[in-house]
Amino acid sequence: MADVTAAQVKELRERTGAGMMDCRKALDATAGDLDKAAEKLRMDGAAKADKKAGRTAAEGVIAWAENGGAVALVELNSETDFVAKGADFQALAKAAADLALQHTPADVAALAQLKSGAKTLDEIRRELVAKIGENLTLRRFEIVKKAATTAIYVHPGSKIVSVITLAKGDDVLAADLAMHVAASSPRYLDATAVPADFLASERKIVVAQVATEQAEAQAAAEEAGKPFKPKPAEIVAKMIDGKLNKLVTEMTLLGQPFVKNPDESVEKLLKSRGAQVARFVRLQVGEGIEKKETDFAAEVAAAAKG
């Protein structure tokens, strides 16, 4: 077996970005052949990435890029915030946003196969997984075509990024509304945009809630020895409609109170300024990902017993 030199380890590290011990092991296994060692590290990295693929990655960043016609937002996830702040992770996120903007791929799988330099984003991701030791996932992206006025709001740390386009309106208003979208997290533009099946499902929930409230009121009255008079059907119907309307108001941009002036709705603000929203997008790191709660004390106790 050929002796592996420090110079060879250094060269392999510079070429692959892998750890020193991994480079030495790869060189030992390939009799000091740099090309074969680099290939072994790549293959080992792919295997490590596959093993870590099932681990929850709910930290990360929202990277963005823009040109004269559009804005691209990309969510790249890691297991820890520490890794998300690293230079390699940040570079991968930015490369993904730049490529999404340039190529407008059909989906995340297509985005992952785009090349940044000589390697695809997925190849770079897999190499980082092997190097860092955490699962990294390219989760989602959005492409927003610019309108007459476009504003981007980036929350410190790049955990939340929002984009809004106005068919009518000025830059100051757009910037305020982008900040509002980031802070208030509307899901839809207005009531007409809320899906009918969603409303039907929510109505069933509200009906059940109102029925429970009525039953609890009756039980409380009987326990106190007081007479109970159920609310008339028309009153119950109004209660249900009121709860649904409140829900729609809270989840629609135009229905929400403007974050900088809660006494005024966004809809009234737009009308007063002669403005019109074309589209908005808000991405938040880890949104919708179920994070596994870790009980470190229990893990230590289990390890001690095992």
Side-chain angles (χ1 to χ4, degrees):
M1 179 183 292
D3 291 332
V4 175
T5 67
Q8 286 176 305
V9 173
K10 180 175 182 292
E11 184 177 348
L12 187 59
R13 285 194 70 189
E14 290 174 349
R15 184 191 297 192
T16 64
M20 182 178 71
M21 290 306 298
D22 288 334
C23 288
R24 177 168 288 279
K25 288 178 182 178
L27 285 165
D28 284 339
T30 58
D33 188 310
L34 282 168
D35 291 333
K36 290 181 180 180
E39 177 64 14
K40 177 173 172 52
L41 284 172
R42 190 184 71 80
M43 298 301 293
D44 289 348
K48 289 180 181 179
D50 289 339
K51 286 181 180 179
K52 291 178 172 63
R55 288 168 28 176
T56 301
E59 297 297 334
V61 297
I62 306 297
W64 63 278
E66 69 172 322
N67 57 26
V71 179
L73 305 183
V74 173
E75 180 177 0
L76 181 66
N77 298 119
S78 59
E79 294 181 45
T80 64
D81 191 48
F82 176 78
V83 164
K85 293 176 180 177
D88 289 340
F89 184 92
Q90 294 281 335
L92 175 57
K94 185 61 172 68
D98 288 339
L99 288 171
L101 180 65
Q102 181 181 350
H103 297 282
T104 60
D107 52 31
V108 172
L111 173 59
Q113 295 308 310
L114 294 176
K115 285 191 172 183
S116 177
K119 300 175 182 177
T120 67
L121 290 177
D122 193 56
E123 288 172 337
I124 298 171
R125 180 192 68 82
R126 284 171 173 268
E127 289 177 1
L128 273 180
V129 170
K131 177 181 178 181
I132 295 170
E134 284 193 11
N135 185 26
L136 308 179
T137 59
L138 189 58
R139 185 185 179 203
R140 56 179 172 166
F141 70 92
E142 290 281 351
I143 306 294
V144 182
K145 291 184 178 180
K146 289 186 174 179
T149 304
T150 299
I152 305 168
Y153 174 82
V154 182
H155 195 67
S158 297
K159 299 294 185 183
I160 301 173
V161 179
S162 61
V163 179
I164 193 163
T165 62
L166 304 182
K168 299 177 183 178
D170 56 59
D171 291 337
V172 174
L173 177 61
D176 283 344
L177 289 174
M179 182 180 66
H180 171 97
V181 168
S184 300
S185 189
R187 291 178 60 183
Y188 306 100
L189 177 60
D190 56 22
T192 64
V194 182
D197 57 347
F198 173 83
L199 286 177
S201 176
E202 288 299 314
R203 178 174 287 276
K204 290 180 181 178
I205 294 172
V206 172
V207 168
Q209 289 174 343
V210 172
T212 299
E213 290 170 3
Q214 288 284 86
E216 290 175 348
Q218 182 176 358
E222 291 174 351
E223 186 178 349
K226 297 179 180 179
F228 175 76
K229 184 178 181 181
K231 288 183 171 61
E234 61 271 19
I235 298 299
V236 172
K238 287 182 179 179
M239 289 173 60
I240 293 170
D241 288 341
K243 287 177 178 290
L244 274 176
N245 290 336
K246 183 174 183 294
L247 174 66
V248 170
T249 295
E250 291 173 347
M251 67 193 314
T252 57
L253 175 58
L254 299 194
Q256 290 177 340
F258 180 43
V259 71
K260 294 182 73 172
N261 179 15
D263 294 329
E264 181 181 37
S265 71
V266 172
E267 183 174 23
K268 288 183 178 179
L269 171 65
L270 290 169
K271 286 182 178 178
S272 70
R273 303 283 286 274
Q276 181 182 350
V277 174
R279 188 188 176 195
F280 70 89
V281 168
R282 177 187 186 274
L283 292 188
Q284 179 174 346
V285 168
E287 191 173 37
I289 298 176
E290 185 176 347
K291 297 183 181 181
K292 181 180 179 182
E293 297 298 329
T294 303
D295 187 338
F296 291 106
E299 284 190 2
V300 172
K305 288 178 182 179

